[in-house]
Amino acid sequence: MHFTIKKSHLVDALSHVNKAVSAKNAISILTGIKFEISNDGLTLTGSDSDISIQIFIPSVLNEDEIVQIFEPGKIVLPKYTFEIIKKLPNDEIEFKIVDHLTVLIKSGSSEFRLIGFEAEEYPELPQIDQKDIFTIQGKLLKTMIIQTIFAVSTKESRPILTGVLWNLNGQNLKFVATDSHRLAIRESTVENPMGLSFNNVVIPGKSLNELSKILDDHQVPVEVIVTDHQLFVKIDNLVFFSRLLDGTYPDISRIIPEKGKTKIRVQTKEILDAIERVALIAKDAKNNIVKLTTLDNQLLEISSNSLETGKANEQILAKELTGEPIKISFNAKYTIDALKTIDSQEIDIEFTGALSPFVIKPVDHDRMLHLILPIRTY
Amino acid sequence: MHFTIKKSHLVDALSHVNKAVSAKNAISILTGIKFEISNDGLTLTGSDSDISIQIFIPSVLNEDEIVQIFEPGKIVLPKYTFEIIKKLPNDEIEFKIVDHLTVLIKSGSSEFRLIGFEAEEYPELPQIDQKDIFTIQGKLLKTMIIQTIFAVSTKESRPILTGVLWNLNGQNLKFVATDSHRLAIRESTVENPMGLSFNNVVIPGKSLNELSKILDDHQVPVEVIVTDHQLFVKIDNLVFFSRLLDGTYPDISRIIPEKGKTKIRVQTKEILDAIERVALIAKDAKNNIVKLTTLDNQLLEISSNSLETGKANEQILAKELTGEPIKISFNAKYTIDALKTIDSQEIDIEFTGALSPFVIKPVDHDRMLHLILPIRTY
C-alpha cells in the first residue's frame, strides 16, 4: 500500500467514518478504521458491528487528482489516526506500508509510523442488493428522524421500543416511535419506483441518531435499501449500514383516539413557552407534572404546584376552544419534547377526557401526530 | 418587599451572581440568591461560602428607571429563580412578598409564587475596608489568571498548591502557580497609589476561575483589596469575594535556574503544533512523554515512541540554537498547556541538562516564565 491524498478530502471522510468507531470495542480490530486502496481510489470503513459507515474517495474528482495511487493494498489503522491527520501541517499526505503492519504517514516535516491491524481480519460488511431502492431527500429524512426519535424508549425492558418503526406503503413512508408514555408519528412522500413495501422494520434509535448527524450536510436525494436484517442508506459516496431490531412492534393503530371531546387551537410557541416556564416549578417534583385547565372566554390556564417550591400559572388565549371543559395533568417534558419538533405555527390539541391520551397535530398538514398519556393526580 | 424591574438588567446581574451559587450546598440558604431592595435599588448576593458575588442594580441608570421601588424589603429566593426570570414573556417584572416567605413574580400573563428563605438567616458578607485599594485593568487581570491558573495543583495533598500566589511590591503584581511538576509566573504593572505590599496571599484556583469568567466582559479598571482572609475585586457595581488559602506558599526563587547551558529560539506556534502532533502517539502512554533532541544545522527533533501505537517525529528549524547539545524528555501536556498561554510569536527555551527543569520565556518581554520538570526515561 502506497498512496498520497489531499488532506481536506481525507479529513472530511474520516470525520464521518469515525462516528461508527468506538475506541472501546471488545473486538479490538473494530477500534480501527479500514483503509483499502485500489486503482480507483480509497475506501474507508468504520464499524461498531451495530452501525457501519463506508466512504469511497475516488482518485479523480471534477478533474482534480485527490488520491495518487502507487501501490494498492489495505490495512486497519487506529481511530486516533483521524486526530493525527487533522493536525498534519501540509495539504498532501503520504501513506506507505513500510513493514508488514507498520504504516509511514508523512506530511511536510512530520513523520508518523503507526502500527495497524491485519486488514484480512476485518469483518466483511453485508452485501447490498442495489435493486430494491427507494429514494428520499436527505433533509426530509433527517427531519423525520428528529421528529420521532425523541419518543423512543431508553429502557432495555422492551428492546423493540428503543427503535423507530419504519413502514413503507406505496409512496408513503411512515415513522413511529413510542416509549409507551408518549408516541410520535411522522409520514412523508418518497419516490418508490419499484413499488416496494415493508412493515415492522425497526431501526435502533442510536443508529438513527448517528445517521441524522451525517445527513446534516446533505440536501441531496439519498437511496434507501431495507433487507431482512439491515438498513442501507446511500448518500453520495457514503454508505450507512445499520442492523435492524428483532421482534414485533406493538400495534399502535387502536390507541389513537378517533375524535376528541375537547378541541383547542393555539399558537405552538405560545403554549410551548408557557409550559416551559411553568415546568420550572415542577422540575424537581416527580413526573414533572403540569396542569392544563380550560376557562371561560377561550382562555386556557397552564399551571403547576409544588409544596416545596411554590406555584406557577399562565393564561393563554386560544384561537379556538370547542367541546367539553377539561382539566388534565401531564408530564411537561414529554409535551415540550413533542412541541419542539413541530415547525408549524399553530397546533390543534384534542382531548377525550382527563384520563385518556391526548393528541397534538399541526394545523397546516396531517403528516404528523403526537400522542401523550396524561397523569392521574388525585 | 415590592418592586418592578427591567428584565434585561435583572438577567445580566443574576447570570453573574448565580456563578457563586450551588444548588447543592449543605447550608440550604446558600442554595438561594438574596434579594434586598432599598430606596436606592436592588442588591443581589450569591455565595457558596468560598466565593461570594454581590451586585447592586441602581433604581436609575443613565436617566433610565431600572427599578421602581414601592416597598423596601428582603428575601432569599431559590437559584432556579434565574431560569424563570430568563423565560418570562415581558420586559418588566414585578416582585412582591404576598405572605411571609412567599414572593409573587408577575410578568404579562405569567404568575409565579415562589417560596423563599428568611433573609435574616443569610450569612453576613465580610466588611470591606475601602481604603487599601490597588487598581488593575480587568482584561489584564483576566490574562494573568489564564496564564497561571492552569499550573495549579488539582490534588488536595498540598492544599496551598491548589491556589495562585499573589505578590504585590510597588507597582509590580506577580502571580505564581505550581503543582510541583511545572510552574508558571506572570508579572505586570498596576496602579498602587497607597504603596501597598503583600506576600503569601494565595487565592484558590477555583475562585480565580470564576473571577476570570466574570471579567470576560469588563475591559474597565477594577479595584482590588486584599485583607488577612479575603480577596475583594470590585468591577463596576459588582463585588467579587474570595476566601484566601491558609498556609505558607513554598519559596520558588531557588528552583529557577539562573542561566541555561543550551538555548533555543523558536516560533511558538511551530513547536506547539509539532508537540501536539507527536503527543498523539504518546497519548495513552504514562506521562504523555515527548522527547526533544538538538541536531546539526540548528535543527530540533521532537519525537515520541510507543511500543503499542508506533513512532512520531518532527523536525523544526530553530531561529537560534546555542550551547551544548541536549536530549531531554518531558510531559507533553504540561508543555502544551504552557505554550498555549503564550501570546508572543517567539520563545526562548533554556536547558541546564537532561535532568534539570527547563525554562520557557517569550522573546519580546520578561513578564512571563514557565518552568517544566523533565522526565527521566532510561
Side-chain angles (χ1 to χ4, degrees):
Chain A
M1 185 181 90
H2 186 193
F3 66 95
T4 61
I5 185 165
K6 292 263 176 70
K7 180 181 164 185
S8 59
H9 289 84
L10 184 56
V11 168
D12 267 7
L14 284 173
S15 73
H16 288 309
V17 171
N18 238 21
K19 291 197 177 86
V21 183
S22 161
K24 283 174 193 147
N25 195 309
I27 307 166
S28 67
I29 199 164
L30 292 185
T31 63
I33 297 161
K34 187 175 167 193
F35 284 66
E36 185 165 12
I37 188 96
S38 70
N39 287 316
D40 305 324
L42 173 66
T43 304
L44 298 167
T45 310
S47 177
D48 68 357
S49 72
D50 282 349
I51 300 170
S52 307
I53 298 171
Q54 190 166 71
I55 298 185
F56 176 68
I57 306 174
S59 61
V60 177
L61 189 70
N62 304 329
E63 299 183 18
D64 250 15
E65 186 165 54
I66 308 300
V67 190
Q68 200 181 355
I69 299 132
F70 302 110
E71 199 190 337
K74 52 187 175 178
I75 194 153
V76 176
L77 289 175
K79 180 178 164 77
Y80 64 78
T81 305
F82 179 41
E83 304 306 318
I84 293 173
I85 301 297
K86 269 194 291 189
K87 289 194 167 152
L88 286 176
N90 273 29
D91 196 34
E92 192 173 85
I93 304 170
E94 182 180 352
F95 284 77
K96 189 178 184 181
I97 294 186
V98 286
D99 171 28
H100 189 44
L101 293 176
T102 304
V103 177
L104 173 70
I105 303 176
K106 262 179 92 164
S107 169
S109 61
S110 301
E111 278 191 17
F112 286 81
R113 275 157 217 274
L114 300 186
I115 301 164
F117 302 88
E118 185 71 73
E120 299 295 343
E121 288 166 18
Y122 199 84
E124 282 289 324
L125 292 191
Q127 286 302 307
I128 314 177
D129 185 349
Q130 297 276 5
K131 279 207 322 273
D132 292 342
I133 287 173
F134 74 90
T135 311
I136 180 171
Q137 285 295 320
K139 204 181 166 187
L140 176 59
L141 178 56
K142 186 182 169 74
T143 305
M144 290 182 71
I145 294 172
I146 291 171
Q147 290 176 335
T148 47
I149 198 174
F150 68 91
V152 301
S153 171
T154 52
K155 291 183 188 135
E156 286 298 329
S157 53
R158 286 182 73 186
I160 196 80
L161 296 187
T162 63
V164 176
L165 173 69
W166 288 26
N167 193 319
L168 179 65
N169 196 347
Q171 305 283 90
N172 196 57
L173 180 67
K174 182 176 176 181
F175 286 11
V176 177
T178 181
D179 62 3
S180 76
H181 300 290
R182 33 94 179 256
L183 178 139
I185 300 178
R186 177 69 160 92
E187 292 174 86
S188 77
T189 302
V190 299
E191 283 175 46
N192 186 7
M194 310 290 295
L196 306 174
S197 77
F198 53 75
N199 202 340
N200 200 50
V201 165
V202 186
I203 327 269
K206 192 173 159 289
S207 301
L208 292 176
N209 191 28
E210 292 304 328
L211 177 58
S212 74
K213 288 183 208 159
I214 292 168
L215 287 166
D216 214 10
D217 323 297
H218 293 269
Q219 303 212 18
V220 293
V222 304
E223 295 176 354
V224 184
I225 300 174
V226 174
T227 67
D228 285 352
H229 300 291
Q230 289 279 332
L231 166 77
F232 305 90
V233 180
K234 201 161 174 294
I235 311 157
D236 292 334
N237 284 322
L238 181 152
V239 187
F240 178 91
F241 302 66
S242 170
R243 72 177 175 97
L244 305 183
L245 289 178
D246 291 328
T248 305
Y249 204 84
D251 178 14
I252 54 119
S253 60
R254 271 169 305 178
I255 61 170
I256 299 164
E258 279 290 304
K259 210 171 156 43
K261 292 179 185 163
T262 314
K263 188 175 159 185
I264 296 168
R265 176 164 295 183
V266 281
Q267 287 206 302
T268 317
K269 189 172 169 1
E270 203 178 341
I271 194 164
L272 172 60
D273 286 352
I275 295 176
E276 281 195 311
R277 281 193 291 269
V278 161
L280 290 169
I281 286 283
K283 213 171 168 184
D284 297 327
K286 203 186 154 228
N287 279 334
N288 217 341
I289 299 172
V290 160
K291 189 186 282 180
L292 181 148
T293 314
T294 52
L295 308 175
D296 292 339
N297 303 319
Q298 296 206 160
L299 279 174
L300 285 184
E301 187 182 68
I302 310 284
S303 60
S304 70
N305 205 328
S306 147
L307 272 181
E308 280 169 40
T309 53
K311 290 177 194 181
N313 69 69
E314 301 262 348
Q315 291 197 356
I316 293 175
L317 184 64
K319 296 263 168 181
E320 285 175 33
L321 201 168
T322 53
E324 300 174 6
I326 191 155
K327 186 183 281 194
I328 189 168
S329 296
F330 52 85
N331 179 307
K333 185 181 175 304
Y334 292 167
T335 314
I336 291 168
D337 284 350
L339 290 172
K340 279 192 170 166
T341 69
I342 298 175
D343 36 26
S344 307
Q345 290 215 337
E346 287 183 16
I347 50 168
D348 285 329
I349 313 181
E350 289 188 37
F351 303 92
T352 38
L355 299 178
S356 305
F358 59 93
V359 170
I360 305 176
K361 285 191 284 199
V363 168
D364 57 351
H365 66 85
D366 63 351
R367 316 309 307 265
M368 184 196 249
L369 181 148
H370 296 284
L371 188 80
I372 293 164
L373 243 67
I375 295 169
R376 187 190 293 247
T377 52
Y378 51 89
Chain B
M1 184 181 88
H2 186 192
F3 65 96
T4 62
I5 186 165
K6 292 264 176 71
K7 181 181 164 185
S8 60
H9 288 84
L10 184 57
V11 168
D12 268 6
L14 284 173
S15 73
H16 288 310
V17 170
N18 238 20
K19 292 195 177 85
V21 183
S22 162
K24 283 175 194 147
N25 195 312
I27 307 165
S28 67
I29 199 166
L30 291 184
T31 63
I33 297 161
K34 187 176 170 192
F35 284 66
E36 185 165 12
I37 189 96
S38 70
N39 287 317
D40 304 324
L42 173 67
T43 303
L44 297 167
T45 309
S47 177
D48 69 358
S49 72
D50 283 348
I51 300 169
S52 306
I53 297 171
Q54 191 165 70
I55 297 185
F56 176 68
I57 305 173
S59 63
V60 178
L61 189 70
N62 304 327
E63 299 185 14
D64 249 15
E65 186 166 56
I66 309 299
V67 191
Q68 201 181 353
I69 300 134
F70 302 109
E71 198 190 338
K74 53 189 176 177
I75 193 151
V76 176
L77 289 176
K79 180 180 165 77
Y80 63 78
T81 305
F82 179 41
E83 304 306 318
I84 294 172
I85 301 296
K86 270 195 289 189
K87 290 194 167 154
L88 286 175
N90 273 27
D91 197 35
E92 191 174 85
I93 304 171
E94 181 180 353
F95 283 78
K96 190 179 184 181
I97 294 186
V98 286
D99 171 29
H100 188 44
L101 292 176
T102 303
V103 177
L104 173 70
I105 303 177
K106 262 179 93 164
S107 169
S109 61
S110 301
E111 278 191 17
F112 286 83
R113 277 156 215 275
L114 300 185
I115 301 164
F117 302 89
E118 185 70 75
E120 299 295 343
E121 287 165 19
Y122 198 84
E124 283 287 325
L125 292 191
Q127 286 302 308
I128 314 176
D129 184 348
Q130 299 274 4
K131 278 206 326 271
D132 293 341
I133 287 174
F134 73 90
T135 311
I136 180 171
Q137 284 295 320
K139 203 183 167 186
L140 176 59
L141 178 56
K142 185 181 169 75
T143 304
M144 291 181 71
I145 293 171
I146 290 171
Q147 289 176 335
T148 47
I149 197 173
F150 69 91
V152 302
S153 171
T154 51
K155 292 185 187 134
E156 286 298 328
S157 53
R158 287 182 72 187
I160 195 80
L161 296 186
T162 62
V164 175
L165 174 69
W166 288 26
N167 192 318
L168 180 65
N169 195 347
Q171 305 283 90
N172 196 57
L173 179 68
K174 182 177 176 181
F175 286 10
V176 177
T178 181
D179 62 3
S180 76
H181 300 290
R182 35 93 178 257
L183 177 139
I185 301 178
R186 177 67 160 95
E187 292 174 83
S188 76
T189 304
V190 299
E191 282 175 48
N192 185 7
M194 310 290 294
L196 307 173
S197 78
F198 53 75
N199 202 340
N200 201 49
V201 165
V202 186
I203 326 270
K206 193 175 158 285
S207 301
L208 292 176
N209 192 28
E210 292 304 329
L211 177 58
S212 75
K213 288 182 209 161
I214 292 168
L215 287 166
D216 214 11
D217 322 298
H218 292 268
Q219 304 212 17
V220 294
V222 303
E223 295 177 353
V224 184
I225 301 174
V226 173
T227 67
D228 285 352
H229 300 290
Q230 288 278 333
L231 166 78
F232 304 89
V233 180
K234 200 162 175 295
I235 311 157
D236 292 334
N237 283 323
L238 181 152
V239 188
F240 178 91
F241 303 66
S242 170
R243 71 177 177 99
L244 305 184
L245 289 178
D246 291 330
T248 305
Y249 204 83
D251 178 13
I252 55 120
S253 60
R254 272 169 305 177
I255 60 168
I256 300 163
E258 279 289 305
K259 208 170 156 44
K261 292 178 185 164
T262 314
K263 188 175 159 185
I264 297 168
R265 178 164 294 184
V266 281
Q267 288 205 302
T268 316
K269 186 170 170 7
E270 204 177 341
I271 194 164
L272 171 60
D273 286 351
I275 296 176
E276 282 195 310
R277 281 192 292 267
V278 162
L280 290 170
I281 287 283
K283 213 171 169 183
D284 298 327
K286 203 185 153 225
N287 279 334
N288 215 341
I289 299 173
V290 160
K291 190 187 282 179
L292 181 148
T293 314
T294 53
L295 308 175
D296 291 341
N297 303 319
Q298 296 208 162
L299 278 174
L300 286 183
E301 188 183 68
I302 310 284
S303 61
S304 70
N305 205 327
S306 147
L307 273 181
E308 280 168 42
T309 53
K311 291 178 193 178
N313 69 69
E314 301 262 349
Q315 291 197 355
I316 293 174
L317 184 63
K319 297 263 169 181
E320 284 174 33
L321 200 167
T322 55
E324 301 172 5
I326 192 156
K327 187 183 280 193
I328 190 167
S329 297
F330 51 85
N331 180 307
K333 185 182 175 302
Y334 292 168
T335 313
I336 290 167
D337 284 351
L339 291 172
K340 278 192 170 166
T341 70
I342 298 176
D343 36 26
S344 307
Q345 290 216 335
E346 288 183 16
I347 49 167
D348 285 329
I349 312 181
E350 290 188 35
F351 303 93
T352 38
L355 299 178
S356 305
F358 59 93
V359 170
I360 305 175
K361 284 191 285 201
V363 168
D364 57 349
H365 66 85
D366 63 352
R367 318 307 310 266
M368 183 195 250
L369 181 149
H370 296 284
L371 189 80
I372 292 164
L373 243 67
I375 295 169
R376 187 191 291 246
T377 52
Y378 51 88

